[in-house]
Amino acid sequence: MGFQDLPEELLISIFNHLSAFDLNICQRTCRFINDIISNSVNLRYQVALEMYGMAHNPNCTLDIPECLRRLERHEEAWATLTPAFTRTLDIENNVSGIYELSGGTYFLGASKERTIPFLRLPTDPTSPTHWDTLKVDGEVVDIGIALYEHDLFAAIVFDPNPTVKIKLYSLSSKQPHPLAKKHALTVQEHTVARLAVGVEITGDLLVLVTRELILDLVPDTVYVYNWKQGTLLKEIVARVDPEDGEPMQGFSGLAFLAPTIIVLPNLVERTLEIWSLDDSSTNDPLVTFDLPALKQGVDISHMACRGSPNPNAMSKDPDHAFHPADQDSLVIFHIHYTLNEHAINTYVFFVHRRALLSFLPSATQKFTDLVLWEDWGPANTFWMASHNIDWITTTSGQRHVMNIERGLYIFDFNSIAVTMAKHGMYKGNGKVAEGELNIQGPPFLDALNTQLPFIMNFMELPHGINGVLMDEERIMLLKRNHETGRIAQIEMMYFG
């Protein structure tokens, strides 16, 4: 029996285990294999997922031809900046300060309040929309959500001040979450002047970073919980110099890189620390990344980061076919620099999760040495100065959106799309931006070289757009009330 005598179903099953790159090579071997791969909807969908940096939603009940059709339509809409529809959404509450956009829901509230307004965003041009509120027991400091995965809303509250607690709710029922054995988790009871927190959730893990912004009496601390069991799994306390009592670490945010791995920016050491959440016994990061050297007198006052979506954030909706692949997605960093305690610059940089994960030691290694900036940074990151950093919810998957004056810019860091664009095979309107970008002058000691290529697309905006947010399905154009400075209206562009 020859190769061509094998059942086509068996050959397709074998080809299903190959990457898109390997399938492309196979197609070039002979017409027989090329026809099998080209005529198989399953294989075409597999190739499209990898090419677009997407992952299939295992909860989806749509057939594969429909999944492929939706994926290709989705990518074409983003590449050509052609939304399926646009809706104007009015902001009914005159508050701001706490916001989130994820799981098709927009949250906009204020700290120290006991309610969080939210809006379920439309997925068709005619469905009605209305603002709703979730009542919370305590004064809200910040929020964390995992709506796709668990319908979970976590409120970080003072209850009462200074006791910090995590309250776990089901957003759809507005009741204590049924999977959480404890509705309230007590975090700390220290007196604080001004508390800043960051919270991320994936799977059973909820990770909370606390930072006192005025008093130095309480070290920055990272708490890792199993939110379902209500147990504290790990606590990372910022190290203090034993001689002078000065902090050696400073944490102001986090992002998940994998289901049990996080990145923690260290403000004091000016590094990125990668921590495993599996082992509660170790007090050391897996690996530490150096950041660009700074001129004398320059410090980092604040560093925020975000990756969207979080690992394993698969929708339970059977009509939701795909999501951005975890490791292909970007992490965005906002870094605020000061010179002699005066703010001078803010920079934004992007890096793929997989780039940071590629430096992790193997299971048999213990590697905690510093990875120098020149060994990891220039080839894997893109940096730019930014003057509009009110919002960090500006990435989803491998895309980033920003507005400058009356222009909307979309950056696509998908390396496959970049390669296709170089060879004239890209279906969108964008152009490739590549080559070394040298950033000279303060705050950096040396010229900053950044080489991560991307496709840049542009759309002209109407007058009066003050900010922009995005998720995997939509772009949100924000308009402020000129008198109050608060968000008054949203122009939502839905891409599907």
Side-chain angles (χ1 to χ4, degrees):
M1 175 183 291
F3 184 77
Q4 297 184 356
D5 298 319
L6 293 174
E8 184 173 309
E9 295 80 4
L10 177 59
L11 292 174
I12 291 175
S13 178
I14 294 172
F15 290 144
N16 264 324
H17 295 279
L18 300 181
S19 67
F21 178 80
D22 292 333
L23 285 171
N24 182 263
I25 293 176
C26 289
Q27 284 183 276
R28 300 181 185 184
T29 59
C30 68
R31 180 174 298 175
F32 172 73
I33 293 179
N34 177 66
D35 290 343
I36 288 178
I37 296 175
S38 299
N39 295 329
S40 169
V41 177
N42 286 41
L43 291 177
R44 286 167 51 204
Y45 182 52
Q46 176 185 324
V47 169
L49 287 171
E50 187 172 339
M51 182 171 63
Y52 296 133
M54 294 289 179
H56 180 66
N57 178 14
N59 301 308
C60 177
T61 59
L62 300 172
D63 60 28
I64 295 301
E66 177 61 16
C67 291
L68 177 60
R69 186 186 70 82
R70 292 190 181 192
L71 177 58
E72 290 179 336
R73 183 181 63 190
H74 169 91
E75 288 298 318
E76 182 178 357
W78 278 102
T80 59
L81 287 183
T82 308
F85 66 88
T86 301
R87 289 277 295 271
T88 300
L89 307 171
D90 291 323
I91 306 297
E92 297 180 358
N93 51 291
N94 188 28
V95 297
S96 63
I98 295 176
Y99 78 96
E100 184 59 272
L101 172 63
S102 184
T105 306
Y106 177 54
F107 299 84
L108 185 63
S111 60
K112 298 185 179 180
E113 297 291 330
R114 292 177 178 265
T115 59
I116 294 292
F118 65 93
L119 178 66
R120 300 281 192 180
L121 298 169
T123 56
D124 65 71
T126 59
S127 61
T129 60
H130 71 278
W131 282 88
D132 204 346
T133 57
L134 175 66
K135 293 183 179 180
V136 176
D137 296 327
E139 297 180 1
V140 177
V141 180
D142 208 341
I143 63 175
I145 58 176
L147 300 185
Y148 273 154
E149 202 175 357
H150 301 296
D151 186 39
L152 174 62
F153 177 96
I156 316 304
V157 301
F158 287 122
D159 183 32
N161 196 345
T163 301
V164 178
K165 294 181 180 179
I166 304 170
K167 301 289 184 76
L168 303 170
Y169 296 89
S170 163
L171 186 66
S172 58
S173 70
K174 303 180 185 178
Q175 298 297 317
H177 201 286
L179 296 180
K181 288 187 176 181
K182 299 178 182 178
H183 168 56
L185 307 176
T186 299
V187 179
Q188 62 185 36
E189 297 178 311
H190 309 298
T191 299
V192 294
R194 185 181 175 190
L195 183 69
V197 305
V199 57
E200 295 291 342
I201 307 166
T202 189
D204 296 351
L205 297 180
L206 183 153
V207 185
L208 174 68
V209 178
T210 62
R211 179 173 176 79
E212 165 56 57
L213 297 178
I214 298 177
L215 302 176
D216 290 331
L217 301 178
V218 181
D220 301 345
T221 306
V222 181
Y223 302 90
V224 182
Y225 289 93
N226 181 314
W227 66 268
K228 291 182 179 179
Q229 299 298 321
T231 54
L232 179 63
L233 303 177
K234 190 184 187 78
E235 190 172 334
I236 304 170
V237 180
R239 295 189 300 272
V240 175
D241 191 310
E243 295 184 3
D244 57 19
E246 291 295 318
M248 298 172 62
Q249 290 174 303
F251 304 131
S252 62
L254 80 144
F256 272 96
L257 301 182
T260 59
I261 296 176
I262 60 171
V263 54
L264 284 175
N266 183 340
L267 306 183
V268 177
E269 297 291 335
R270 305 169 187 169
T271 58
L272 305 180
E273 298 180 358
I274 311 301
W275 286 80
S276 170
L277 307 182
D278 283 329
D279 187 359
S280 61
S281 63
T282 180
N283 291 315
D284 295 311
L286 294 173
V287 64
T288 301
F289 293 93
D290 189 23
L291 289 173
L294 304 178
K295 289 183 178 294
Q296 186 174 1
V298 175
D299 288 307
I300 296 176
S301 62
H302 180 70
M303 193 173 349
C305 60
R306 185 176 188 270
S308 178
N310 273 337
N312 293 339
M314 289 294 182
S315 173
K316 296 295 195 299
D317 183 358
D319 199 48
H320 205 134
F322 47 84
H323 293 280
D326 296 348
Q327 294 190 14
D328 287 334
S329 296
L330 297 170
V331 179
I332 179 175
F333 293 83
H334 285 183
I335 308 183
H336 303 249
Y337 294 100
T338 60
L339 176 60
N340 299 323
E341 300 185 355
H342 296 286
I344 54 169
N345 300 95
T346 299
Y347 278 84
V348 176
F349 82 88
F350 309 89
V351 60
H352 287 97
R353 282 183 174 130
R354 64 170 179 267
L356 297 177
L357 291 170
S358 68
F359 286 86
L360 291 187
S362 67
T364 59
Q365 294 176 306
K366 183 178 180 180
F367 181 71
T368 57
D369 290 340
L370 185 69
V371 180
L372 298 179
W373 161 253
E374 54 266 28
D375 294 333
W376 78 274
N380 293 301
T381 65
F382 174 75
W383 290 61
M384 61 183 180
S386 178
H387 304 287
N388 185 9
I389 43 79
D390 291 342
W391 299 277
I392 198 172
T393 310
T394 57
T395 65
S396 180
Q398 298 187 76
R399 293 188 175 94
H400 165 69
V401 62
M402 69 177 183
N403 68 300
I404 301 177
E405 296 180 349
R406 296 186 62 177
L408 179 70
Y409 295 84
I410 304 288
F411 294 4
D412 187 347
F413 289 89
N414 183 336
S415 60
I416 297 178
V418 170
T419 300
M420 292 177 65
K422 290 179 182 178
H423 293 85
M425 300 168 61
Y426 183 67
K427 297 181 181 180
N429 304 324
K431 297 182 179 180
V432 175
E434 64 173 344
E436 288 193 6
L437 176 63
N438 291 317
I439 300 175
Q440 306 277 351
F444 305 111
L445 180 63
D446 304 308
L448 179 64
N449 296 320
T450 178
Q451 303 166 18
L452 185 65
F454 57 91
I455 296 172
M456 185 172 68
N457 211 337
F458 171 82
M459 172 189 289
E460 189 171 345
L461 292 177
H463 180 72
I465 302 301
N466 304 114
V468 61
L469 309 175
M470 77 176 299
D471 66 10
E472 62 191 74
E473 296 181 345
R474 55 186 64 79
I475 291 175
M476 309 269 282
L477 306 176
L478 310 179
K479 297 181 179 180
R480 294 185 189 271
N481 180 306
H482 293 298
E483 294 181 358
T484 66
R486 303 185 188 278
I487 305 302
Q489 196 175 69
I490 296 172
E491 292 292 331
M492 188 195 80
M493 297 190 294
Y494 182 78
F495 293 87

